[in-house]
């Protein structure tokens, strides 16, 4: 079991550009959540996807959007990048509701640097 | 407002020593509390999870305690090793609101040889 995987590992973009980050959940997991973690801070919830739909969303602008595919993998898209978007972006997956245990398993993250 | 506060912010200890990290929360309603270990530049890894009725939970050299009355938790690390150097994040789950998981900012632990 490969666990949660994310790509790319690191990414450097310039202000105004767009970026797409990818996540493959742990085998057997159908729910994917995305978090933004600034340096020295705890993760901040961006949104959660289940059954290919955005189920919940945190306090992030519409520049942050996502998608979930039929195989449960997910993408995070950020448009019109700002310097403040520089952070570690974490993807977490969890098991189907009612299956017992709701621990979120985190991927290694994608380090985004906006210049 | 749901918040999780951790102390100390950072800590340096000698290899082989014990240490205790603190977590205070105001999250309500409370579902469970987790401690995660996060190595630099990596994703968090779950160490322990405790529900309302559990007072203590161990995972090897890590022992977490929970006092649901005072809304406090601690993580005790015994006989520290260099590999324990990481950030330790306290996360409280609630069942309401858009963000079910409320994260603390973490305690940065450095174990020195």
């Amino acid at each position: 079991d490969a666990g949660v995987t994310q790509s790319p590992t690191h990414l450097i973009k310039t202000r105004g550009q767009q970026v797409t980050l990818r996540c493959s959940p742990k085998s057997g997991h159908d729910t994917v959540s995305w978090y933004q973690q600034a340096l020295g801070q705890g993760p901040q919830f961006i949104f959660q996807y289940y059954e290919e739909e955005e189920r919940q969303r945190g306090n992030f602008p519409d520049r942050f959007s996502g998608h979930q595919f039929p195989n449960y993998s997910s993408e995070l898209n950020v448009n019109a990048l700002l310097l403040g978007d520089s952070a570690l972006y974490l993807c977490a997956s969890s098991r189907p509701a009612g299956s017992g245990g709701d621990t979120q398993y985190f991927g290694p993250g994608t380090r985004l640097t906006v210049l | 407002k749901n918040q999780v506060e951790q102390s100390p912010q950072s800590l340096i200890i000698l290899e082989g020593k014990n240490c205790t990290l603190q977590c205070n929360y105001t999250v309500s309603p409370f579902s469970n509390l987790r401690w995660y270990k996060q190595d630099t530049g990596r994703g968090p890894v779950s160490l322990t999870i405790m529900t309302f009725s559990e007072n203590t939970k161990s995972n090897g050299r890590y022992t977490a305690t929970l006092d649901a009355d005072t809304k406090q938790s601690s993580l005790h690390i015994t006989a520290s090793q260099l590999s324990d150097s990481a950030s330790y994040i306290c996360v409280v789950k609630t069942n309401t609101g858009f963000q079910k998981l409320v994260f603390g900012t973490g305690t940065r632990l450095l174990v020195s040889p």
Side-chain angles (χ1 to χ4, degrees):
Chain A
D1 183 5
V4 180
T5 60
Q6 292 185 243
S7 63
T9 305
H10 296 86
L11 202 53
I12 299 175
K13 292 286 188 178
T14 57
R15 283 178 296 175
Q17 285 189 312
Q18 178 267 343
V19 68
T20 297
L21 311 182
R22 296 176 176 82
C23 171
S24 291
K26 185 177 172 64
S27 178
H29 288 189
D30 65 352
T31 302
V32 174
S33 302
W34 285 93
Y35 295 85
Q36 179 194 68
Q37 186 177 22
L39 197 61
Q41 299 297 313
Q44 295 296 313
F45 176 72
I46 303 175
F47 43 54
Q48 184 181 77
Y49 276 84
Y50 172 71
E51 291 188 341
E52 302 181 48
E53 291 191 358
E54 182 182 293
R55 184 162 67 172
Q56 294 173 329
R57 188 179 182 92
N59 287 326
F60 280 80
D62 293 343
R63 297 186 298 108
F64 289 77
S65 64
H67 188 76
Q68 186 178 33
F69 299 93
N71 65 354
Y72 307 122
S73 66
S74 176
E75 289 183 347
L76 164 65
N77 301 293
V78 186
N79 295 323
L81 284 168
L82 304 174
L83 296 179
D85 295 331
S86 296
L88 180 69
Y89 287 85
L90 296 167
C91 168
S93 71
S94 53
R95 291 160 64 179
S99 65
D102 60 353
T103 298
Q104 289 196 350
Y105 291 80
F106 286 84
T110 293
R111 170 68 64 185
L112 172 65
T113 301
V114 182
L115 301 177
Chain B
K1 181 180 179 182
N2 287 334
Q3 286 186 318
V4 175
E5 296 184 350
Q6 294 187 240
S7 62
Q9 189 173 26
S10 61
L11 183 63
I12 302 175
I13 62 173
L14 291 175
E15 184 179 11
K17 297 296 185 181
N18 304 335
C19 67
T20 301
L21 315 180
Q22 300 292 339
C23 172
N24 296 335
Y25 62 92
T26 60
V27 179
S28 182
F30 174 89
S31 179
N32 58 49
L33 184 148
R34 294 175 169 86
W35 282 92
Y36 281 90
K37 176 186 179 186
Q38 185 176 22
D39 293 313
T40 301
R42 309 293 291 177
V45 175
S46 180
L47 294 175
T48 64
I49 177 173
M50 288 182 293
T51 58
F52 185 88
S53 59
E54 295 176 296
N55 300 120
T56 185
K57 182 75 70 76
S58 291
N59 177 2
R61 294 180 298 102
Y62 301 103
T63 299
T65 65
L66 173 65
D67 186 335
D69 292 331
T70 61
K71 298 188 176 182
Q72 295 181 327
S73 176
S74 66
L75 180 68
H76 186 75
I77 304 175
T78 304
S80 61
Q81 301 176 358
L82 298 179
S83 59
D84 292 332
S85 296
S87 287
Y88 291 84
I89 304 175
C90 175
V91 184
V92 179
K93 182 182 179 186
T94 183
N95 290 324
T96 62
F98 62 85
Q99 181 157 352
K100 299 294 191 287
L101 298 184
V102 184
F103 289 77
T105 56
T107 292
R108 286 187 154 186
L109 174 65
L110 175 63
V111 180
S112 176

